[in-house]
Amino acid sequence: MSNEEEKFRFKIFLVKDEFIDSQYIKDKNELKSFCVNGNTIYYKRLKGKDPKWFTNFFGQESHGFFQTGIRGFFERKIQISDEKTVKFVITFGGAESLLDLNNFDSTFGRRIALNVENGFYQIKRDKISTTQSKTREDVVKIKNVGDFDIQYGLDLITSVIVKPKDDFFIQNKITGSNFVSFSFACTIDNIDEMLRNCYKESCKSEYLQKYDWIERIQEIVNNDLLIDKIKEEAFKTYINRDFSKFWIAIKDVFDWENVSGFTIRHSRNRKLAYSSQDIDIDQFTQFITNNNISIESLNDFKNFKVDITFSADSETISQDYWSLFDCIYCEVQIENSNYVINGGKFYKIDTSYCNKINQEFEALVPIQPYPENSKTQREDEYINELCNEINYKDDLVNLDKVFVKFDDNIEICDIYDRKNKAFVHIKKDGASAHLSHLYAQAKVSARILCDNSNIAEINKVYKEKRNFELEPFNKNDVKIIMAIISNKKIDSTGKINLPFFSKINSILSKNEIERMGFTNVKFMFIHSSVSLYDKSRDQRVVANNL
């Protein structure tokens, strides 16, 4: 095989225009370098022999400077036009860990892959409104994007592997992320033309015709300047006590029934702490005021840790879970662009999409709520009180924690409202991750109820546990209600202010359930006059080590 025929696979990064003359190496002192044919190769040396591909690609031996198994990279400047020059950094052996990725175009490779795709082998995505989890979905055969389990508007596509179109100059699998990678026959003498073709493809916007939803919400990574601006604006929101746009809430979803409370403590002084049934921005503000603790910037929230106390089978266990910074939710606007801090991450929301979601959420007409919660902090206790009220006990059936075994144990609903023929799901207000459990429960339940053959199994359990059976129903005749109990003010439209991602999830969940054939999908917002966080009883400064 000649040098020209041998294929090489590198990761190719594009330097942002504003950093083309800047330093992009994390620590130049830890690297070695040597020059070959006018190209400076930076690397970390390990034991071994010269890799065979090096001589074939660069056209000369490294004479012992270069070792196999190492991490390394080199750069190429390409003149695109009289006015435009771009810089690429080409890495091998995992050398991207040596680079300051703030300086690179974070969607360069993804744009190329999506512009030329003719089917997908793999999609990696982050779930931003549930558990902040990362998901990778692979397929054996090439599939369309619709064959993957993607929640449009809630999943961030971070990386794809695609089959390219027949007319593209690369005809093997292409990986697109903040880099592009593929196998290509080239040498250092002719790599520039390949890089030029990659740049031109990355400038096209054809992919938006098929995947416009991909750019609606973008996680902000490798852009410290913008993140610092968002933090500054968020801190102003906190200082101004605009707690309709700034609050703290649990980061992840878990079984509330096994949680007895939380402790927020100073990470360097464990005696400075308070305990509560939940975490709440008003409590925290009162705590730092009472203890003369200064908060000078948003980063100071990182000085506080959130412990969760689990109680099960008479055993109490406390675990260190999160930094309080990761529990911040905030919405800010900078130069007419909308940004969200959620779960310790930063997101830019497309302005037109942001306006569309807000308008659709405002257009939702909530159903008349059940009586306010005036006695308890717990969902299960509220449900029990409600179902035993004299005005409701003949109509409402308490089905909380009544599970029916299908593939998993499924809670069909928390309450069945016989008078209104409604399956009611109830959850306490909280962060996007917590409310996503409400929407997921409603969707899973609706899928079960779509199949009439499941009703017999449901009734078997209901008859045993509650001496109650569902009557046969038409999907057009029943309601599916998603209800939220909250201390927040209910506005004139009957709604509360929800986190942006919860607004998205509300709309998408309603639409998904309606596509199943249920035409009466409603929301309910129940006011709680009792603090869901029990400030009077549970807020206390702990004077001993916890």
Side-chain angles (χ1 to χ4, degrees):
M1 180 181 289
S2 66
N3 290 358
E4 288 74 22
E5 292 175 327
E6 183 172 359
K7 291 184 178 181
F8 303 96
R9 177 177 283 273
F10 302 115
K11 288 184 178 179
I12 303 168
F13 294 81
L14 176 65
V15 178
K16 293 177 183 176
D17 289 342
E18 61 266 35
F19 297 120
I20 195 168
D21 295 318
S22 302
Q23 172 66 264
Y24 57 81
I25 304 173
K26 284 182 180 177
D27 186 358
K28 207 168 186 178
N29 294 327
E30 72 174 358
L31 301 180
K32 299 181 182 296
S33 67
F34 68 98
C35 190
V36 53
N37 289 339
N39 296 277
T40 300
I41 313 297
Y42 295 95
Y43 69 99
K44 295 194 77 170
R45 181 189 294 237
L46 299 174
K47 293 182 179 180
K49 299 178 181 179
D50 286 358
K52 181 180 178 181
W53 69 263
F54 181 86
T55 300
N56 293 340
F57 181 78
F58 285 102
Q60 73 174 58
E61 296 181 359
S62 67
H63 302 295
F65 285 106
F66 198 71
Q67 306 295 324
T68 189
I70 59 90
R71 296 180 291 170
F73 58 89
F74 60 97
E75 67 179 49
R76 299 291 287 183
K77 276 190 176 182
I78 307 293
Q79 187 167 352
I80 302 300
S81 65
D82 291 340
E83 299 81 22
K84 183 74 173 180
T85 298
V86 297
K87 182 192 285 187
F88 297 92
V89 175
I90 298 94
T91 72
F92 46 87
E96 58 270 18
S97 62
L98 306 174
L99 306 177
D100 180 358
L101 295 179
N102 281 298
N103 294 11
F104 296 89
D105 186 330
S106 62
T107 63
F108 166 64
R110 192 186 70 186
R111 296 197 305 271
I112 294 173
L114 292 176
N115 272 327
V116 305
E117 69 84 13
N118 191 29
F120 292 84
Y121 293 102
Q122 181 191 94
I123 295 179
K124 289 183 180 179
R125 60 193 185 274
D126 289 350
K127 293 184 176 296
I128 55 177
S129 75
T130 53
T131 58
Q132 306 291 329
S133 62
K134 297 180 182 297
T135 302
R136 189 182 85 181
E137 196 171 354
D138 300 270
V139 294
V140 177
K141 295 182 179 181
I142 299 170
K143 289 193 175 183
N144 296 320
V145 70
D147 296 319
F148 291 82
D149 184 22
I150 297 173
Q151 284 190 290
Y152 303 113
L154 292 174
D155 286 355
L156 294 181
I157 306 303
T158 58
S159 175
V160 296
I161 299 178
V162 304
K163 178 184 185 299
K165 298 174 182 176
D166 293 338
D167 59 354
F168 192 54
F169 75 98
I170 300 297
Q171 283 301 299
N172 54 71
K173 291 180 181 179
I174 297 175
T175 299
S177 184
N178 55 347
F179 62 87
V180 67
S181 181
F182 45 77
S183 296
F184 187 65
C186 64
T187 67
I188 191 65
D189 296 324
N190 58 22
I191 194 174
D192 289 0
E193 186 60 28
M194 181 267 284
L195 295 175
R196 186 175 285 107
N197 288 334
C198 286
Y199 177 77
K200 289 179 178 178
E201 198 63 47
S202 75
C203 293
K204 297 178 182 179
S205 58
E206 294 174 2
Y207 72 100
L208 290 176
Q209 297 175 17
K210 294 171 66 176
Y211 311 116
D212 64 316
W213 50 271
I214 279 182
E215 304 297 345
R216 291 173 182 170
I217 302 175
Q218 302 177 53
E219 183 181 354
I220 302 167
V221 293
N222 308 321
N223 192 335
D224 290 344
L225 291 176
L226 178 55
I227 288 174
D228 285 343
K229 288 182 181 178
I230 297 170
K231 286 180 180 178
E232 289 175 10
E233 290 301 315
F235 187 63
K236 290 178 185 177
T237 304
Y238 168 72
I239 291 298
N240 293 331
R241 301 296 189 264
D242 186 356
F243 293 153
S244 65
K245 295 182 178 179
F246 185 109
W247 59 82
I248 55 176
I250 60 168
K251 180 183 176 184
D252 296 324
V253 177
F254 46 77
D255 186 357
W256 273 94
E257 303 310 317
N258 292 326
V259 174
S260 61
F262 299 83
T263 297
I264 296 180
R265 58 179 172 80
H266 200 282
S267 58
R268 292 192 294 272
N269 185 350
R270 294 182 66 91
K271 292 183 179 181
L272 287 174
Y274 72 92
S275 296
S276 173
Q277 289 291 323
D278 207 332
I279 61 176
D280 171 62
I281 190 62
D282 290 320
Q283 286 176 281
F284 176 74
T285 301
Q286 188 63 48
F287 165 70
I288 63 173
T289 300
N290 292 344
N291 289 275
N292 297 317
I293 301 173
S294 178
I295 299 289
E296 302 293 339
S297 72
L298 206 67
N299 284 336
D300 286 345
F301 281 80
K302 295 178 181 179
N303 295 332
F304 298 87
K305 302 297 181 183
V306 179
D307 296 340
I308 302 179
T309 302
F310 294 97
S311 294
D313 299 325
S314 301
E315 183 180 6
T316 299
I317 303 171
S318 291
Q319 296 184 21
D320 184 355
Y321 253 66
W322 311 296
S323 160
L324 189 60
F325 182 89
D326 292 338
C327 298
I328 291 173
Y329 178 88
C330 186
E331 299 176 10
V332 299
Q333 191 172 67
I334 302 173
E335 297 177 354
N336 296 320
S337 293
N338 299 283
Y339 301 92
V340 169
I341 303 174
N342 189 42
K345 295 186 177 183
F346 301 81
Y347 302 94
K348 181 178 181 180
I349 315 297
D350 176 76
T351 301
S352 59
Y353 182 61
C354 183
N355 293 338
K356 177 178 179 290
I357 291 297
N358 285 329
Q359 289 169 3
E360 289 187 23
F361 184 75
E362 286 302 313
L364 294 177
V365 179
I367 198 168
Q368 181 70 28
Y370 293 129
E372 75 171 21
N373 172 43
S374 60
K375 296 181 180 179
T376 180
Q377 295 177 311
R378 297 170 60 100
E379 296 160 18
D380 57 344
E381 291 178 356
Y382 171 77
I383 291 169
N384 190 56
E385 290 277 353
L386 177 65
C387 292
N388 285 296
E389 275 196 20
I390 190 168
N391 293 329
Y392 289 95
K393 65 180 183 179
D394 292 334
D395 297 326
L396 303 185
V397 182
N398 184 349
L399 297 172
D400 185 34
K401 302 186 187 68
V402 177
F403 296 97
V404 184
K405 181 67 175 178
F406 291 101
D407 290 336
D408 295 305
N409 285 324
I410 305 298
E411 188 180 50
I412 301 300
C413 60
D414 294 303
I415 294 173
Y416 182 73
D417 187 329
R418 285 186 279 210
K419 180 179 179 180
N420 295 294
K421 294 184 178 180
F423 297 90
V424 185
H425 307 272
I426 298 180
K427 286 288 177 287
K428 286 166 58 173
D429 189 14
S432 297
H434 184 53
L435 288 179
S436 67
H437 187 61
L438 169 69
Y439 307 125
Q441 183 190 46
K443 289 184 289 187
V444 169
S445 170
R447 282 192 284 270
I448 296 293
L449 293 172
C450 279
D451 188 344
N452 288 331
S453 64
N454 291 328
I455 303 303
E457 184 62 29
I458 294 172
N459 279 337
K460 179 181 176 182
V461 175
Y462 283 179
K463 180 69 174 176
E464 177 186 349
K465 300 289 186 180
R466 293 292 187 268
N467 194 29
F468 159 76
E469 291 182 292
L470 293 172
E471 296 179 357
F473 62 85
N474 185 299
K475 286 187 284 189
N476 292 325
D477 296 332
V478 298
K479 295 184 178 72
I480 291 180
I481 299 173
M482 291 171 274
I484 298 172
I485 308 172
S486 178
N487 290 133
K488 293 177 185 174
K489 179 182 178 181
I490 296 179
D491 64 23
S492 59
T493 68
K495 297 189 290 292
I496 62 170
N497 186 32
L498 289 181
F500 182 74
F501 295 132
S502 290
K503 291 179 182 178
I504 298 174
N505 213 343
S506 299
I507 295 163
L508 295 181
S509 298
K510 179 177 185 291
N511 293 344
E512 183 176 337
I513 295 171
E514 286 177 340
R515 285 195 295 271
M516 298 179 199
F518 295 93
T519 56
N520 293 303
V521 183
K522 302 294 182 180
F523 291 90
M524 179 188 292
F525 297 92
I526 303 167
H527 184 255
S528 177
S529 57
V530 172
S531 172
L532 297 176
Y533 316 110
D534 195 5
K535 299 175 189 176
S536 60
R537 178 170 63 87
D538 287 297
Q539 182 179 339
R540 60 187 182 274
V541 176
V542 178
N544 59 313
N545 289 326
L546 297 175

